Amino acid sequence: VSTQSTWGMDIKRTWNGVEVPGNKRTRLETTPSKVIYFWSLAPETSEYDLTYLCSSCGNVVNVLRLTDKNQAFVEMDSVETAAAVIANLTQGMASLHGLPIHVQFSSRKEISKTNEEPSSILHVTMMNATYPADCDLLHYLFSQYGTILRIVCFEKNATQQGLIEFSDPMAALSAKTALNNSFIYEGCHLKIVNSKLQSVNVRMDDINSRDFTQNYQPQHFNMPQHYGNTNYGYNNAPGYHYPPPMNNYPPSHYSSGGGSVLLVSNLNQEKTTPYALFKLFGAFGDVIRVKVLFNKRDMALLQFKTPAMANQALTHLRDCTFYDNKISVRLSKMFEVPMPPPDTQESYENLTQDYTNPPMHRFTIQNSKNGANIRPPSQNLHLSNIPEHLDENELINLLSQYGKVEHFNYFPNTKKMAVATYDSVNNAVSALVGLHGESLEHLGGDKRGIQISFSKIHHQPCT
């Protein structure tokens, strides 16, 4: 590594043969680091913008946005990729939101979100708003992520803003992660930051200030027409994209459910994949899209073919144990799960998958036996389409990869169906996810694969 710098002069560095130009505003001589320092950013610059900007050169590990100082830190997966980002941004005279990008290596070795104090209060700004927003609208959008205590709406610098106080910081973090930079209608998106306030002061009860701890519940909230049913494109400016739109909200009344999208939380981040969620939730309805949240990977959104299927899954999987975690499932206010913009880190990691026409949909045929035999998760699995000549011990060994099989019995007069009972619901769930639809052609099965569902009986005695 070679570095030359003085105040007011350009820096020239090389890292593994890559020249990393400096900037005249570089204040200190720094050594190469995985962390990149940005300054003089436009106020509207978001974490998403920075992630998108840097992800073309490598994996973005973490982003820390210092909104009040118009600064940010981005941690890459290696010094090499950080050097590539700096070289890319400085050599090409890059800009973001109309301002030139100032960037250099940071003196930090890594960054942590703990640098930002956790808060139960969010400061929400409606960017480019053309329609009024009140407390009932914000409660409608944010309440799916936790209990809201108070909301105050106000206007500052000709911009509509709001303060939302949650019952705990984790609920606020979930809402911020899911909704920051989401569109609420064409042209208007949310900018969300943590507030430094200790509490939200509600001086009077009206549409612009609500204290929800005083038994107030919005009744028959009508979603304005401009808040949904429109497909919005992305900003095509080089090096910049808005995140996908959060469009198509539920039916008009606030108090009614009926959406086709579920929000799942407390997932096992190490094991859970979109495909695993598709197979588990697909036992209760046809799942057409799954998104594991990019910045909150213990949460996911699942879109079903119909609201009835989503409600069926919600009923049976609420508080289910999945990969050793007790998951939480609730209806989302979204009516569809958007695909990520192309050529972004999120798209490279395949965290969003489309399953519109997969062969493993169980309920494509109306009034089929599958729909009539839906059962909640249990220790007991119903197996069908078993290869007739498959040895019983070989099948039990296959099932035992997911946990102890306490009972196994074929149905009377056939070896194509059986009931297997595991020692726990968690292991039975893991077996269904791991084996349903998997081809056993190497064991004499057909391309359709073994079919697994939760059983309505414990174990069938042999006769």
Side-chain angles (χ1 to χ4, degrees):
V1 178
S2 63
T3 305
Q4 294 178 341
S5 68
T6 57
W7 176 261
M9 296 179 63
D10 284 348
I11 292 177
K12 290 187 179 180
R13 296 190 188 89
T14 59
W15 175 255
N16 284 1
V18 178
E19 183 176 320
V20 184
N23 188 292
K24 291 184 179 181
R25 283 199 57 182
T26 301
R27 296 170 172 79
L28 298 172
E29 180 175 321
T30 56
T31 57
S33 164
K34 293 189 296 183
V35 181
I36 304 166
Y37 169 54
F38 291 79
W39 69 91
S40 297
L41 293 168
E44 62 267 34
T45 302
S46 67
E47 292 183 6
Y48 187 94
D49 299 337
L50 296 164
T51 300
Y52 183 87
L53 200 64
C54 299
S55 60
S56 61
C57 297
N59 294 326
V60 177
V61 175
N62 213 339
V63 180
L64 176 63
R65 176 76 170 95
L66 305 178
T67 308
D68 55 337
K69 297 180 180 179
N70 291 326
Q71 299 173 1
F73 296 88
V74 177
E75 181 181 347
M76 303 300 292
D77 58 354
S78 67
V79 177
E80 289 83 358
T81 54
V85 169
I86 294 175
N88 184 46
L89 295 179
T90 53
Q91 290 173 356
M93 301 290 291
S95 64
L96 184 60
H97 293 296
L99 295 180
I101 294 175
H102 301 288
V103 63
Q104 70 173 57
F105 286 117
S106 170
S107 58
R108 298 171 181 241
K109 299 303 179 184
E110 62 180 4
I111 59 176
S112 171
K113 287 300 177 90
T114 55
N115 292 323
E116 183 180 17
E117 288 295 322
S119 174
S120 58
I121 301 176
L122 299 180
H123 183 182
V124 181
T125 304
M126 281 142 277
M127 307 299 295
N128 305 315
T130 55
Y131 299 97
D134 57 27
C135 292
D136 288 348
L137 171 65
L138 292 180
H139 188 278
Y140 178 81
L141 295 175
F142 284 81
S143 60
Q144 62 179 307
Y145 301 99
T147 302
I148 293 177
L149 304 182
R150 300 170 190 87
I151 300 179
V152 171
C153 296
F154 57 95
E155 188 171 303
K156 183 177 181 181
N157 298 326
T159 303
Q160 294 184 53
Q161 302 181 37
L163 292 168
I164 304 175
E165 182 178 355
F166 283 85
S167 59
D168 63 272
M170 285 307 299
L173 176 61
S174 297
K176 178 184 175 185
T177 301
L179 297 181
N180 190 31
N181 280 310
S182 292
F183 283 85
I184 57 175
Y185 56 83
E186 186 171 10
C188 177
H189 66 281
L190 302 177
K191 175 187 173 185
I192 306 173
V193 298
N194 288 348
S195 172
K196 295 181 180 179
L197 295 175
Q198 298 301 311
S199 63
V200 173
N201 185 19
V202 176
R203 296 181 179 178
M204 59 185 298
D205 184 36
D206 57 25
I207 61 171
N208 289 318
S209 56
R210 297 276 194 227
D211 187 340
F212 295 94
T213 65
Q214 301 302 312
N215 297 319
Y216 175 84
Q217 290 296 329
Q219 299 294 323
H220 300 298
F221 174 67
N222 291 304
M223 197 68 175
Q225 185 176 3
H226 51 267
Y227 282 90
N229 302 318
T230 308
N231 291 320
Y232 314 130
Y234 302 113
N235 186 325
N236 291 320
Y240 178 74
H241 280 272
Y242 275 125
M246 188 185 71
N247 55 349
N248 292 336
Y249 289 90
S252 57
H253 291 114
Y254 171 89
S255 57
S256 64
S260 300
V261 179
L262 297 181
L263 176 68
V264 186
S265 57
N266 199 39
L267 295 167
N268 185 320
Q269 299 183 58
E270 301 300 321
K271 296 182 178 180
T272 304
T273 65
Y275 188 52
L277 290 168
F278 165 76
K279 291 174 75 172
L280 174 58
F281 282 77
F284 304 95
D286 290 339
V287 177
I288 61 176
R289 193 167 289 175
V290 180
K291 175 189 284 290
V292 175
L293 300 189
F294 182 71
N295 289 319
K296 194 77 171 61
R297 304 205 182 184
D298 64 343
M299 299 178 69
L301 292 164
L302 291 95
Q303 180 181 344
F304 286 79
K305 189 176 292 184
T306 67
M309 290 180 176
N311 275 283
Q312 180 107 266
L314 173 65
T315 299
H316 289 305
L317 291 175
R318 194 194 310 266
D319 298 325
C320 172
T321 301
F322 178 40
Y323 289 150
D324 302 314
N325 282 21
K326 187 176 182 180
I327 62 174
S328 173
V329 185
R330 56 181 180 262
L331 282 171
S332 170
K333 298 291 192 295
M334 300 173 71
F335 243 30
E336 66 178 20
V337 174
M339 295 297 291
D343 299 324
T344 62
Q345 186 64 29
E346 183 178 358
S347 66
Y348 293 148
E349 293 192 33
N350 297 316
L351 295 175
T352 304
Q353 293 294 318
D354 187 274
Y355 299 107
T356 305
N357 296 303
M360 283 197 293
H361 276 172
R362 298 176 186 247
F363 308 100
T364 52
I365 302 175
Q366 290 188 353
N367 303 318
S368 70
K369 290 183 179 180
N370 287 340
N373 291 318
I374 294 176
R375 294 294 182 272
S378 69
Q379 296 170 248
N380 312 298
L381 297 181
H382 178 273
L383 315 177
S384 61
N385 203 40
I386 302 171
E388 277 192 280
H389 302 293
L390 179 60
D391 180 75
E392 179 178 333
N393 290 329
E394 197 168 7
L395 179 56
I396 292 175
N397 287 337
L398 184 66
L399 295 169
S400 298
Q401 295 177 18
Y402 300 92
K404 182 181 179 182
V405 178
E406 294 188 330
H407 301 283
F408 178 88
N409 294 108
Y410 287 109
F411 271 58
N413 305 318
T414 180
K415 287 195 171 183
K416 298 196 73 171
M417 291 193 295
V419 173
T421 301
Y422 279 85
D423 59 345
S424 70
V425 176
N426 179 71
N427 290 341
V429 168
S430 297
L432 182 145
V433 169
L435 292 176
H436 172 70
E438 297 303 311
S439 173
L440 300 181
E441 288 185 272
H442 62 293
L443 300 174
D446 59 29
K447 291 182 179 179
R448 183 164 168 254
I450 188 170
Q451 303 296 296
I452 303 180
S453 59
F454 295 108
S455 176
K456 59 184 177 182
I457 57 179
H458 289 279
H459 51 92
Q460 182 75 25
C462 290
T463 58

